[in-house]
C-alpha cells in the first residue's frame, strides 16, 4: 500500500567491486514530472523502481538485485558491467577549506549565495 515503507517493500542491490569490496544500495520509488506551465507539475509516465550507483574502481563489477515485499522475496540472477576510466573530473568533495573534484582539480563555484 506504500512504496515508501521498507516493511512493505524493499529493493536492494549488492554490488561487488573487482577487488572484492561489497556495497549494498537501496532502491527507490521514482515518478518523473514535467512542468508544462509555471507552478504546475504533471506526472510524466508511470512510476517505477530505480537503483543508482557510481562505481569507484575500474574493471568488471557484479551485482545482484533483491526485492522483498509482503508476499516474500525474489533475487534476480547476478549481472555484471565494466567500469572504465572517465575523462570527467568526478564528484565534488571537501578538502580542508576548499572544494575539489575527485581528480584533485579545484572546484570554483560561481553564483549568488
Amino acid at each position: 500500500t506504500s512504496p515508501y515503507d521498507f516493511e512493505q517493500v524493499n529493493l536492494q542491490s549488492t554490488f561487488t567491486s573487482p577487488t572484492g569490496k561489497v556495497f549494498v544500495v537501496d532502491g527507490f520509488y521514482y515518478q518523473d514530472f514535467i512542468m508544462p506551465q509555471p507552478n504546475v507539475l504533471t506526472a510524466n509516465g508511470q512510476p517505477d523502481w530505480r537503483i543508482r550507483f557510481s562505481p569507484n574502481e575500474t574493471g568488471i563489477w557484479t551485482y545482484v538485485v533483491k526485492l522483498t515485499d509482503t508476499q516474500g522475496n525474489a533475487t534476480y540472477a547476478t549481472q555484471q558491467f565494466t567500469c572504465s576510466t572517465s575523462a570527467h573530473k568526478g564528484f565534488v568533495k571537501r578538502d580542508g577549506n576548499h572544494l575539489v573534484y575527485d581528480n584533485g582539480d579545484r572546484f570554483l563555484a560561481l553564483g549568488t549565495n
Side-chain angles (χ1 to χ4, degrees):
T1 58
S2 174
Y4 307 105
D5 182 355
F6 282 135
E7 298 293 321
Q8 293 183 24
V9 60
N10 188 5
L11 179 67
Q12 286 189 327
S13 186
T14 302
F15 293 88
T16 304
S17 77
T19 59
K21 295 177 187 165
V22 175
F23 300 84
V24 178
V25 178
D26 288 322
F28 58 96
Y29 191 66
Y30 177 81
Q31 172 65 64
D32 188 35
F33 288 90
I34 57 172
M35 191 179 289
Q37 54 186 322
N39 301 317
V40 176
L41 285 177
T42 304
N44 185 30
Q46 295 297 312
D48 56 25
W49 289 89
R50 297 188 179 194
I51 296 171
R52 290 193 178 136
F53 177 71
S54 294
N56 58 2
E57 292 180 27
T58 57
I60 298 174
W61 286 72
T62 60
Y63 66 96
V64 175
V65 177
K66 180 180 179 182
L67 174 68
T68 303
D69 66 11
T70 56
Q71 304 298 309
N73 43 40
T75 302
Y76 298 90
T78 301
Q79 302 290 313
Q80 70 178 30
F81 64 91
T82 301
C83 178
S84 57
T85 304
S86 172
H88 296 284
K89 295 181 179 187
F91 291 105
V92 174
K93 60 185 176 185
R94 189 173 156 200
D95 182 23
N97 292 327
H98 305 287
L99 296 175
V100 296
Y101 291 99
D102 283 331
N103 73 351
D105 287 355
R106 196 150 177 202
F107 173 77
L108 299 175
L110 299 175
T112 305
N113 288 331

